[in-house]
Amino acid sequence: IVWRVAGASEAGAAENDHMVRVGTVSGTTITMGTAVVMDDSHYSHSQTVKWDPNTDNTFAITFYKASHGAAFGRVCTVSGTTVTVGSVESLGGNYALNYADAMDYDPFTANKFVVVYTDAGAAKCKIGTVSGTSLTWGSEISFNGTDVANAVIAFDPNTQNQLAVVYQSTDGDDYLACKIGTLDLSGDTIAFGDEFKIMDADPLNSQNRVTFAPSAWEQSGKFLVTYPDDDNSDYGTVVVCQIGTS
């Protein structure tokens, strides 16, 4: 778990520090390890935390530092319930991240994940490569050049190198849309297909989510998009999507 110290300081932390802690589950009991400072620059937010499904002890965190006006990534390793935090690596600009699901690991390739973000309204992504607790960013890849907000991403656990990005168009004709991407590891790039409009109405900001069906279900290409519908009293809404062959 990742959280901000909002009140009285904890051991080794000051107010507004961001902490990370690993828990071990046994039945319905959770044993928590020692809290470690993840970021001490204060006022970080929009954290996404994801385990690498191809390793036993590595996870990554992407987050936005309001104090720096920039987005960053960090890799952590776990031994028991002890967390070792790697160095902070900037995405390289004044980029905005969604409040959750802004990053996902490739389920078929160890030490690779993709983060999505917006840069002055344009939707972009980068591939992160992990070595130990070191993180290296690849080149910037654009998947929508118009006004976009709240981009989220998920890899398909049933189809190698396939992913979906969901985002909100904010160019005046607000709507929720998605694109399917194919990861090319040989060139560390992603090819995106055409835009598919999920809904014409305006989704509530910052609350979009995208989730693929688990691999055990054997439902290749099927994913869910959830959002609060701003044009329908902010009711929680879900759409089932199926990737076709074209």
Side-chain angles (χ1 to χ4, degrees), residues 67-139:
S67 57
H68 290 64
F72 295 82
R74 202 162 203 171
V75 175
C76 304
T77 57
V78 179
S79 177
T81 55
T82 300
V83 180
T84 300
V85 180
S87 58
V88 176
E89 297 296 337
S90 172
L91 270 169
N94 185 14
Y95 305 146
L97 298 172
N98 194 60
Y99 278 89
D101 294 342
M103 171 263 290
D104 199 18
Y105 268 96
D106 177 3
F108 292 93
T109 307
N111 301 318
K112 292 280 188 181
F113 66 86
V114 176
V115 58
V116 293
Y117 55 92
T118 55
D119 177 13
K124 300 180 179 180
C125 62
K126 284 186 178 181
I127 300 171
T129 301
V130 177
S131 177
T133 56
S134 297
L135 171 61
T136 302
W137 295 114
S139 301

Side-chain angles (χ1 to χ4, degrees), residues 2 9 20 29 43 69 73 96 121 135 151 154-155 160 162 164 205 235 246:
V2 177
S9 62
V20 59
T29 301
Y43 306 111
L135 171 61
F155 272 90
Q160 190 166 1
Q162 183 167 266
N205 287 345
Y235 286 157
S246 60

Side-chain angles (χ1 to χ4, degrees), residues 192-214:
F192 286 97
D194 295 334
E195 180 178 85
F196 175 79
K197 188 178 293 186
I198 297 173
M199 59 168 288
D200 289 319
D202 182 19
L204 188 66
N205 287 345
S206 305
Q207 302 297 323
N208 310 325
R209 300 289 186 272
V210 56
T211 305
F212 272 91

